[in-house]
Amino acid sequence: MTVRVNGRVVTPTGVIRQGCVEWDGERITAVAEYPSVRDGHWILPGFVDMHTHGGGGHTFTTGDADQARAAAGFHLRHGTTTLLASLVSSPFPVMRAATEAFAPLVEEGVLAGVHFEGPYLSDARCGAQNPEHLRDPSTDELAELIELGHGTVRMVTLAPERDGALEAIKLLTAARVVAAVGHTDATYEQTRAAIAAGASVGTHLFNGMRPVHHREPGPVVALLEAPTVICELVADGVHLHDGMLTFATTTAGPDRAALITDAMAAAGMADGEYELGGQAVTVTDGVARLARDGAIAGSTLTMDAALRHAVDAGIPMADAARMVATTPARAIGLGDRVGALQVGLRADLVVLDDDLNVVRVLRGGSWVE
């Protein structure tokens, strides 16, 4: 049975002010003008969050399937219809157990995959990562996780200056796993070598990276200028100044800039004491920081809030919509399934009011209760 929703439809090419989206079952069957409609709600593709550690008081970082299901449900209510479960630097047994625990959720469609942010990261740029767990990349570990997960492992963030990083990147890309550059003190040249080896994502650009210098551009410039790299940006006003958010978006373009939440369990919760990867986190005024040194420890962001922030910062709606859906979907290899209001893709959409607050969420052709 064909079902329709009418309003201001945001497509990859622009906004249909008087439009409709139709679907039959789980697939979009039509996106078109609908002249009898008078500007209704905004209709955007379902959001795709390629980097989130939890939310609603639940975490992905322990590898607990019940926690993961609850965290995914929290973000779904905020419009995120596709997400990766991001873990933090951990001992290998934890990584292995998480892969096994989350594989059924990936098969079920609750998760789109797992993102291992670490443990192959820089000691100098570890941020909120636990320094006790950082180590050089291991192709043996990665090969075992990939085989164990049967498609569960979707992305791995590593620092390209660590011994064995280029070999790890080549292994990942050969297995169709996204290799991301992050938490790195790499030089410009080392970052370019990682990109040449197949790295295609910059993990929360600027954060956890050697800063830009006019005589040593570092990883930020190498990632921004590479046409094959999609750069993650945390649009919460804490991780990035709005001027840097718009600069990076203008430089890379909305087809290479992806908004992420980097959310932890405290997203949607009250200020207080939490934990991230076994480390104590204090949330004050919605900002999460490590108790031990005050380092930013993820965020309390949701994708709808990231969209609102980006638009308030001056990013046009059509561009911001690509950055929360189309671009991240393509970054993690799912652009042929989700991430846009296009015929044939999964019927995922978010209905927003004039203030860009979520009114309704559709996933796979069914309204979320």
Side-chain angles (χ1 to χ4, degrees), residues 118-131:
Y120 315 125
L121 308 175
S122 164
D123 295 277
R125 304 289 174 186
C126 66
Q129 301 283 334
N130 191 331

Side-chain angles (χ1 to χ4, degrees), residues 46-51 82 84 154-155 178 201 230-232 254-260 303 319-335 338-339:
F47 307 144
V48 179
D49 192 353
M50 57 192 284
H51 188 155
T82 301
L84 297 186
R154 178 69 62 170
M155 183 164 73
V178 176
V201 166
I230 289 173
C231 299
E232 295 181 348
D255 290 328
R256 291 206 304 111
L259 298 187
I260 62 166
M303 286 296 273
D319 290 349
R322 292 217 296 278
M323 293 165 67
V324 294
T326 314
T327 301
R330 198 176 76 254
I332 57 175
L334 298 176
V338 298

Side-chain angles (χ1 to χ4, degrees), residues 8-52:
R8 288 167 282 180
V9 179
V10 185
T11 74
T13 57
V15 179
I16 304 174
R17 303 296 304 189
Q18 296 174 295
C20 73
V21 179
E22 295 181 352
W23 63 94
D24 190 346
E26 294 188 353
R27 299 291 163 186
I28 296 172
T29 54
V31 180
E33 290 188 9
Y34 202 70
S36 63
V37 174
R38 292 191 177 275
D39 279 9
H41 290 314
W42 289 100
I43 303 171
L44 273 67
F47 307 144
V48 179
D49 192 353
M50 57 192 284
H51 188 155
T52 177

Side-chain angles (χ1 to χ4, degrees), residues 6 21 53 94 111 179 184 216 228 261 278 292 300 334 342 359:
N6 304 323
V21 179
H53 300 286
V94 174
L111 304 174
T184 175
E216 171 43 64
T228 57
T261 64
R292 62 176 166 83
T300 59
L334 298 176
Q342 290 181 333
V359 177

Side-chain angles (χ1 to χ4, degrees), residues 205-294:
L205 194 74
F206 299 104
N207 299 114
M209 290 186 180
R210 178 195 290 238
V212 176
H213 187 278
H214 58 284
R215 286 190 294 272
E216 171 43 64
V220 171
V221 174
L223 294 165
L224 272 178
E225 72 178 9
T228 57
V229 171
I230 289 173
C231 299
E232 295 181 348
L233 300 167
V234 187
D236 63 353
V238 177
H239 283 75
L240 297 176
H241 186 283
D242 285 355
M244 196 59 83
L245 171 67
T246 55
F247 165 77
T249 300
T250 301
T251 302
D255 290 328
R256 291 206 304 111
L259 298 187
I260 62 166
T261 64
D262 195 17
M264 48 92 69
M269 304 296 287
D271 287 355
E273 305 302 316
Y274 296 87
E275 70 90 28
L276 180 65
Q279 299 186 101
V281 173
T282 300
V283 177
T284 305
D285 296 328
V287 179
R289 296 185 180 275
L290 284 186
R292 62 176 166 83
D293 62 6

